[in-house]
Amino acid sequence: MGNCCSDDHGGQSAVGGTVASLQNLAGGSNDIVDHFLKSRGYHVLFTQIELSLSATNLRDRDVLSKSDPMAVLYVKGRDGTLDEIGRTEVVLNSLNPLWITKHTIAYHFEVVQSLVFRVYDVDTV
């Protein structure tokens, strides 16, 4: 695994890793939208997809070591607001992180779903 700051299976207790990342769009507000559309005679087609995140050639933002990156996943609403649906663990001293945390979301066919990915350098000092 390398560079992970957790020795738990799956990295679920790593710095920044949350249980909320496992309970995102997979079954939340999509049930309500599906019910609304079905009540109007529409049949919504969707499937669950799993996202695995990695990054390459990040900028080094630390002085004495390499950056400690964490990725945060947002869904963009119609009004432009960003709602967080998951985050990864922090990978220590890496400019090419491969995060362990996977995110399962509902992909709706023929519906625009804007996702925003942001990478942060986490400093614990």
Side-chain angles (χ1 to χ4, degrees), residues 7-57:
D7 52 1
D8 286 348
H9 178 67
Q12 293 303 313
S13 67
V15 177
T18 64
V19 177
S21 66
L22 301 174
Q23 301 169 344
N24 48 35
L25 288 180
S29 62
N30 290 332
D31 292 337
I32 296 168
V33 172
D34 292 344
H35 176 61
F36 174 78
L37 293 174
K38 285 179 184 176
S39 70
R40 302 285 190 276
Y42 297 100
H43 297 284
V44 180
L45 297 176
F46 71 93
T47 187
Q48 299 292 327
I49 61 171
E50 184 177 80
L51 301 176
S52 299
L53 303 178
S54 66
T56 55
N57 299 323

Side-chain angles (χ1 to χ4, degrees), residues 58-121:
L58 296 176
R59 292 183 190 159
D60 190 359
R61 296 294 187 182
D62 287 348
V63 177
L64 300 175
S65 65
K66 293 182 180 158
S67 293
D68 306 316
M70 172 184 71
V72 180
L73 173 60
Y74 301 93
V75 63
K76 190 173 189 178
R78 289 184 181 176
D79 59 354
T81 60
L82 296 178
D83 293 319
E84 181 178 331
I85 59 174
R87 60 179 55 205
T88 65
E89 72 280 359
V90 175
V91 178
L92 298 176
N93 299 320
S94 178
L95 301 179
N96 300 298
L98 176 61
W99 289 285
I100 297 169
T101 305
K102 297 184 183 335
H103 303 278
T104 304
I105 63 171
Y107 173 76
H108 292 266
F109 296 97
E110 299 182 15
V111 175
V112 176
Q113 295 171 269
S114 298
L115 299 178
V116 176
F117 300 88
R118 292 191 176 162
V119 178
Y120 298 98
D121 179 19

